[in-house]
Amino acid sequence: MADTSQQELSEPHTNGAMDGLTEEEKSKIRPADIDAGIAGRNDMREMERRKRVEMMMNSRLFREELERIIETQMKDGAGPSGLLQQISDMMGAQGARFNGNVFKNSNCVVPINDIRGVESMGYAKGEKLLRCKLAAVFRLLDLYGWTQNVGGQMTARLNQDQEHFLVNPYGLLYHEITASSLIKVDMQGSVVEQGTTNFGIHITGFQLHSTIHAARPDIKCIVHISTPSVTAISSLKCGLLPIGQESIVIGEVSTHHYVGGMLDPEEREKITRNLGPINKVMLLTNRGALCCGETVEEAFYNVYNTVLACETQLKLMPAGLDNLNLISEESKKTIFEASRKPPIPQHTSAPESTVITEKLEKRWRIGGTEFEALMRMLDNAGFRTGYIYRNPLVKGEPPKPRNDVEVPPAVSSLGYLLEEEELYKQGLWKGGRKGTDRSRWLNSPNVYQKVEILETGTPDPKKITKVEVITFENKND
């Protein structure tokens, strides 16, 4: 009894709780089979890790690529940082630990569409889809590296009647914004629906957006982009020059000397006048650019091309403005009009092309094809965009393979009929058979028929069954 009491006093009492104990005390309390199981799992993980490393090192392509990089670096005399960067790029996400820029190589995947099940019933018609689209644009800008910490703002017009808008909460990074976190506000910036965060909106920045929304009902989405390249071009007196295609497809670019702060009625009128009735991009002096669109897709299309155009111009500026070949007005008009037309399949004939063009113009949106491709990229990466594809990648009804059992025996005459039809189209067929007569055999279940006849040459004839072939007579004969 004394030994038992002494043993109980020496062992820690946990009442089933393991918190606050050291690993040594936990190992004393755990049974031996549990310790063996944990050790076995750790050994399995270590074996799998070593196996992956061994497979990578035994890969001939990996060794050749690594040797090529090291040889190139030795010739160029680059430092170890450049070598590690190239190894990181070659290994992809797994090599991100070699790069010191942890934010650029962040593998954090936050789902864009976080509105699920019953929650979606609380939104008006089309609001959930618009939320997903706008949140996806935030995620794209983050992946492209076109963000400025928590700065920047995007707005999307929710409906025309009530003049409600979706705007990002001020204080969230772009990769944190989801469909449910967007805030719904009215034209004055008053919060109509808070969303799933405790953050508010940047009311001064929203005044700039609301001014454009009020003056241009055709604009549905506005994105304020202020990357270093765009800010640099907005600070130049010459503005954005017509150098490449990207600077043409966005149309005419307006300029406004934006001073910031609360906007008075006079400043609002200047913004409206400088933007104009049809322009979609406006440079804010020393503040970046506002890229607008009649759809979310078009707004991102203008953002993408504006950033590329600014980066191209900055690379050419050291050569001097006198050495730049600018695109002529006639070429600018041709390029812009071509960017506003939907792509037409090349294998169609002229009459079919007209019909297809009319259908595509109704369905096609500026920047829609590029936006859908990026949505497929995000969905494949696990971001769950919630985007409804207008042009799915895979056909909904793939061609059904024909089974041999489904093909009737009469199909053996199909080649003859196809040849006959081709001659008929070329005007070389003289039979004059009409389309319905040429395909009469298709309506027959079989080309064979069983008939009963009497035997011949015997005094007591019996009925026998004979297979007779059906033939179609030509009505013109």
Side-chain angles (χ1 to χ4, degrees):
M1 186 70 180
D3 295 337
T4 305
S5 302
Q6 186 69 23
Q7 184 179 0
E8 291 177 355
L9 290 173
S10 62
E11 294 180 356
H13 293 275
T14 62
N15 292 329
M18 303 288 288
D19 297 336
L21 301 181
T22 62
E23 289 296 330
E24 184 178 357
E25 292 174 343
K26 291 180 181 178
S27 63
K28 291 180 180 179
I29 298 172
R30 286 195 298 263
D33 56 348
I34 295 180
D35 288 336
I38 295 175
R41 287 196 297 271
N42 292 336
D43 291 342
M44 290 295 295
R45 294 194 189 98
E46 182 66 20
M47 290 174 61
E48 291 178 358
R49 188 183 67 82
R50 291 182 178 180
K51 186 177 180 180
R52 289 197 299 269
V53 174
E54 183 179 359
M55 291 176 60
M56 182 179 296
M57 296 306 297
N58 291 334
S59 173
R60 181 178 58 83
L61 295 178
F62 179 80
R63 291 199 308 272
E64 292 177 356
E65 183 73 10
L66 188 60
E67 291 173 358
R68 184 189 62 80
I69 291 177
I70 295 176
E71 183 180 357
T72 304
Q73 292 292 322
M74 292 302 181
K75 289 181 179 179
D76 297 342
S81 59
L83 176 61
L84 293 179
Q85 175 64 42
Q86 289 201 25
I87 295 175
S88 173
D89 296 339
M90 182 180 67
M91 296 182 65
Q94 298 298 327
R97 63 181 182 273
F98 290 105
N99 198 327
N101 189 356
V102 295
F103 297 103
K104 181 179 179 181
N105 293 283
S106 176
N107 296 323
C108 178
V109 177
V110 180
I112 296 172
N113 177 21
D114 59 345
I115 303 174
R116 296 285 180 176
V118 184
E119 298 178 358
S120 60
M121 300 177 61
Y123 295 98
K125 182 180 179 181
E127 181 176 350
K128 176 185 174 182
L129 179 60
L130 183 60
R131 284 177 172 269
C132 292
K133 284 184 180 180
L134 190 61
V137 174
F138 282 101
R139 199 61 53 89
L140 288 174
L141 294 187
D142 176 71
L143 293 174
Y144 277 114
W146 298 340
T147 62
Q148 295 293 324
N149 204 356
V150 297
Q153 194 173 70
M154 298 186 206
T155 56
R157 189 192 302 270
L158 187 57
N159 54 57
Q160 195 79 26
D161 301 329
Q162 298 178 347
E163 292 293 353
H164 287 169
F165 305 91
L166 297 177
V167 61
N168 55 301
Y170 181 71
L172 290 183
L173 296 172
Y174 276 24
H175 80 275
E176 297 179 297
I177 297 175
T178 61
S180 64
S181 64
L182 296 172
I183 302 176
K184 185 192 300 184
V185 297
D186 58 14
M187 185 67 78
Q188 287 71 36
S190 302
V191 176
V192 177
E193 186 177 331
Q194 177 63 40
T196 56
T197 68
N198 294 321
F199 294 94
I201 69 168
H202 196 290
I203 189 66
T204 305
F206 180 74
Q207 280 193 344
L208 178 62
H209 289 241
S210 63
T211 301
I212 297 176
H213 280 299
R216 293 280 299 274
D218 59 312
I219 291 177
K220 187 173 184 178
C221 181
I222 302 175
V223 180
H224 183 197
I225 186 76
S226 56
T227 62
S229 60
V230 179
T231 304
I233 295 300
S234 68
S235 305
L236 296 176
K237 293 182 179 180
C238 62
L240 185 61
L241 300 175
I243 298 175
Q245 179 178 343
E246 293 81 8
S247 60
I248 306 301
V249 296
I250 59 178
E252 294 294 332
V253 179
S254 304
T255 303
H256 175 72
H257 186 74
Y258 181 62
V259 295
M262 302 298 289
L263 302 180
D264 54 16
E266 184 179 355
E267 181 69 15
R268 289 174 178 266
E269 184 179 354
K270 289 182 180 179
I271 294 173
T272 303
R273 184 170 62 252
N274 290 334
L275 179 61
I278 60 174
N279 291 5
K280 301 290 181 63
V281 177
M282 181 167 68
L283 294 177
L284 303 177
T285 306
N286 306 106
R287 297 294 185 92
L290 288 178
C291 300
C292 313
E294 298 181 11
T295 60
V296 177
E297 293 88 341
E298 183 182 5
F300 179 78
Y301 178 83
N302 289 332
V303 170
Y304 182 84
N305 287 285
T306 299
V307 173
L308 292 186
C310 292
E311 291 178 352
T312 302
Q313 182 171 332
L314 282 181
K315 291 181 178 180
L316 292 173
M317 289 294 291
L321 295 179
D322 297 336
N323 294 325
L324 299 181
N325 289 323
L326 303 182
I327 300 177
S328 63
E329 292 295 329
E330 184 179 354
S331 299
K332 286 171 57 177
K333 183 179 179 181
T334 303
I335 295 173
F336 180 77
E337 291 178 353
S339 66
R340 262 49 189 170
K341 295 180 181 179
I344 303 174
Q346 298 295 328
H347 62 274
T348 55
S349 59
E352 294 176 352
S353 177
T354 304
V355 177
I356 293 176
T357 303
E358 294 177 355
K359 293 181 179 179
L360 287 175
E361 287 178 351
K362 294 179 180 179
R363 297 184 55 191
W364 185 75
R365 298 175 178 176
I366 298 174
T369 305
E370 295 84 352
F371 195 81
E372 284 205 357
L374 293 172
M375 292 301 101
R376 288 196 301 269
M377 179 195 70
L378 293 180
D379 281 328
N380 293 334
F383 287 93
R384 296 210 310 261
T385 63
Y387 182 79
I388 299 178
Y389 295 92
R390 299 168 65 89
N391 298 299
L393 179 63
V394 182
K395 291 184 178 180
E397 297 181 359
K400 181 181 178 182
R402 299 192 65 181
N403 194 341
D404 294 339
V405 180
E406 299 176 0
V407 181
V411 81
S412 59
S413 61
L414 179 61
Y416 172 78
L417 287 173
L418 292 177
E419 182 181 0
E420 179 182 298
E421 185 174 1
E422 185 65 25
L423 294 174
Y424 179 78
K425 290 181 179 179
Q426 297 177 5
L428 303 177
W429 176 252
K430 303 302 181 182
R433 187 178 289 179
K434 296 182 180 179
T436 55
D437 294 329
R438 292 198 308 273
S439 60
R440 276 181 60 191
W441 69 277
L442 293 173
N443 300 324
S444 174
N446 206 321
V447 294
Y448 303 102
Q449 180 177 347
K450 294 181 179 180
V451 294
E452 292 184 351
I453 61 174
L454 296 176
E455 290 181 331
T456 58
T458 59
D460 187 13
K462 297 179 181 180
K463 289 184 178 180
I464 60 175
T465 303
K466 182 180 179 182
V467 179
E468 193 175 82
V469 181
I470 300 175
T471 58
F472 299 110
E473 298 179 356
N474 192 347
K475 292 183 178 181
N476 296 330
D477 292 343

